[in-house]
Amino acid sequence: MALLPARWLKDRAGLTVVLLLGWGLAGCQAPPASTTNLGSVQRLPTIYVLDKPRKLLEGPTYPMPDTRHILRWRAKRFEWETTLAGNPMSYADVILRRPLDLRAYRPMSFLRFRVRPDFVARDLYVGLMDSGHDGSPPVMVRLPMAAYRVWRRNAQGYYVIPLKDFSLRGEVLSEDDRRVPAGSGGRMDWGQVSGFRIGTLTGQANRQPFLITHLQIGSNVQVREKEEPPLNPGSRRAPRRGAAP
């Protein structure tokens, strides 16, 4: 590389020219990122879905009383304990008092959660529901859970589901929140996501309680292997009507 005038090295503009020329003479096709004005990529904040009792309600279950669930909190951690009946239509819902706008999240973000004991996930699905619009019933999109496990340890599985894997169209829910017959469908409103559903695919799931914890939506797919101790069965229960704990 030829010698350059010393005055070029005395200011920032001159130094940038030196770097660009050196990069080009080295046979590279583009300058290093530090010398280009690409701007910063804004990351969406992580949504901790069920972090406060006042933000949600324990939604309906089916069939009753064989399917049941409880939400519990300790500090800022929650657990969703569910027992599903041996029925291909069984499910449990959690309803958000204030719907989430996930339109900006859907292209590059993930739904993350943990399940214990993990073996029950082989016959479970996770569903997202909107609030309904223009007087129409809510729509639910769902995916089988087992395909999205990223690691398993001590009977606990960690799941990461890209939001874009959920379809733009889903199943229309009737007024009593049961799924309508196959073939009926509607467009999911990702700007009004109002609830989460855990249900069985075939009804073969083991009929014992299981826990869902760390339910989050965010752009980070990194799996942290550090585990917190499980809650005791006697942990206090979330108020059904959203009262402060």
Side-chain angles (χ1 to χ4, degrees):
M1 176 176 173
L3 294 177
L4 296 168
R7 62 183 177 81
W8 283 25
L9 305 177
K10 292 182 180 180
D11 54 50
R12 184 175 300 176
L15 180 59
T16 300
V17 171
V18 172
L19 291 173
L20 293 176
L21 288 174
W23 189 263
L25 292 174
C28 298
Q29 300 299 316
S34 60
T35 64
T36 60
N37 185 20
L38 297 177
S40 60
V41 178
Q42 184 178 3
R43 298 187 67 179
L44 295 166
T46 297
I47 298 174
Y48 299 91
V49 178
L50 307 177
D51 60 336
K52 292 181 174 64
R54 62 177 58 91
K55 293 170 60 175
L56 52 96
L57 294 171
E58 290 172 2
T61 62
Y62 179 83
M64 295 179 63
D66 297 327
T67 295
R68 53 192 181 276
H69 65 159
I70 297 174
L71 291 167
R72 298 190 183 100
W73 278 262
R74 181 177 65 186
K76 292 185 178 181
R77 184 188 166 191
F78 81 95
E79 67 175 14
W80 179 9
E81 179 180 316
T82 304
T83 304
L84 294 173
N87 181 316
M89 298 287 286
S90 63
Y91 65 82
D93 292 350
V94 165
I95 306 300
L96 304 178
R97 288 183 176 274
R98 185 174 182 178
L100 299 173
D101 186 347
L102 299 182
R103 288 173 294 182
Y105 283 81
R106 187 174 182 270
M108 297 183 65
S109 296
F110 305 86
L111 177 66
R112 309 186 297 249
F113 55 91
R114 301 182 188 186
V115 179
R116 181 191 292 270
D118 180 62
F119 72 87
V120 301
R122 63 193 177 203
D123 193 50
L124 297 181
Y125 68 83
V126 57
L128 305 178
M129 298 173 288
D130 67 18
S131 302
H133 48 88
D134 299 330
S136 60
V139 171
M140 179 183 68
V141 290
R142 61 174 181 157
L143 287 170
M145 191 181 292
Y148 293 93
R149 189 181 74 192
V150 294
W151 62 258
R152 181 178 183 273
R153 174 180 289 180
N154 298 329
Q156 178 173 248
Y158 193 106
Y159 294 79
V160 179
I161 304 178
L163 290 182
K164 65 183 179 181
D165 281 13
F166 288 96
S167 175
L168 291 173
R169 297 187 63 83
E171 301 162 288
V172 176
L173 304 178
S174 60
E175 293 182 0
D176 62 359
D177 287 314
R178 299 182 187 179
R179 292 190 295 114
V180 298
S184 298
R187 187 172 183 83
M188 176 73 176
D189 185 352
W190 284 91
Q192 292 286 323
V193 176
S194 63
F196 296 81
R197 173 172 292 187
I198 299 297
T200 59
L201 294 168
T202 66
Q204 300 301 313
N206 188 287
R207 286 182 280 181
Q208 72 172 59
F210 60 90
L211 302 180
I212 294 179
T213 61
H214 300 79
L215 187 61
Q216 305 167 8
I217 295 172
S219 58
N220 188 3
V221 298
Q222 182 178 358
V223 176
R224 295 187 307 166
E225 295 190 0
K226 181 179 178 181
E227 297 185 36
E228 300 177 38
L231 296 178
N232 296 323
S235 300
R236 100 184 128 90
R237 179 175 178 172
R240 283 186 175 275
R241 294 301 174 184

